[in-house]
Amino acid sequence: MDTSIFDHFHAVGVIPVLEIDSAAHAVPTAEALSAGGLPIAEVTLRTEAGLDSIRNIARRLPDVLVGAGTVINLKQAQAARDAGAQFLVSPGMAEDVVIWAVKNQIPVLAGAVTPTEIMRGLNLGLTLLKFFPSETLGGLKAIKAISDPFPQVRFIPTGGIRLDNLAEYLRMEKVHAAGGSWMAKRAMIAEGRFEEIQRGAEEASEIVKLRNPIF
Ligand code: 3PG
């Protein structure tokens, strides 16, 4: 698997999780995020426009790392790859998706929140896992407790992360990067509030810089 994309996740620090209702909004959203210091877009396949949004970003914005989120089956994984997704994110441990992604050298971030799920991920070759929904499951306290037996694992928590708890997440050693939708909520995208999205990305990247001063 090409894990250099995982290095980008760490360098950028925050992965915007996007729900896009019209593919026409994909490029301006990704441009706003990128201008604000977050050149990454996890476009979820929860909307009809998800795949076309990935395609538009992949074609038009080569400097933005675009991936597919909410990938829950193999068919979606293949369609996302064909649309130009450079990485895949799944809320849970979909083993067929992970096996296929590893075999096809596509970085995959799969969700694991119990020791059993973490062990499944490790046995499939993953050491970077998604922790979702983080705040509901106990946030940093839960990540710390579950990390103790698995020192080789790092997490990308999502779910309930916002500007006001981002710094605390990023300070934790086990947290590789954080994901979330707060800077580009579905309504903000649908209403074309791209300046606001850029400002939200800027605020988030200011916090990342405190952790990653060399990037
Ligand atoms: C995800 O898919 O990772 C979440 O929907 C992001 O959670 P948030 O909307 O609470 O940021």
Side-chain angles (χ1 to χ4, degrees), residues 17 46 130 132 158-161 180-181 185:
V17 179
R46 291 172 217 173
K130 174 166 167 140
F132 170 80
T158 73
I161 299 176
S181 64
K185 294 290 262 183

Side-chain angles (χ1 to χ4, degrees), residues 18-81:
L18 310 177
E19 284 182 280
I20 305 179
D21 290 295
S22 160
H25 288 144
V27 166
T29 300
E31 277 175 333
L33 290 167
S34 190
L38 304 179
I40 294 188
E42 177 195 327
V43 179
T44 62
L45 301 184
R46 291 172 217 173
T47 66
E48 292 282 316
L51 283 176
D52 282 337
S53 297
I54 291 169
R55 200 171 287 115
N56 288 354
I57 296 170
R59 282 196 191 143
R60 301 260 306 277
L61 302 177
D63 295 336
V64 171
L65 198 57
V66 62
T70 327
V71 175
I72 55 183
N73 59 49
L74 201 47
K75 202 170 152 216
Q76 287 178 317
Q78 288 164 336
R81 190 265 316 262

Side-chain angles (χ1 to χ4, degrees), residues 85-147:
Q86 292 160 280
F87 64 91
L88 305 176
V89 183
S90 180
M93 192 53 64
E95 297 201 8
D96 54 348
V97 171
V98 174
I99 291 166
W100 177 84
V102 170
K103 195 167 150 222
N104 287 278
Q105 307 264 325
I106 301 172
V108 61
L109 183 64
V113 299
T114 65
T116 304
E117 291 163 355
I118 292 170
M119 289 188 299
R120 266 198 220 141
L122 282 172
N123 291 335
L124 293 170
L126 306 182
T127 51
L128 181 65
L129 297 164
K130 174 166 167 140
F131 190 81
F132 170 80
S134 184
E135 281 295 285
T136 307
L137 295 173
L140 285 166
K141 207 170 162 203
I143 293 172
K144 181 173 181 332
I146 208 153
S147 294

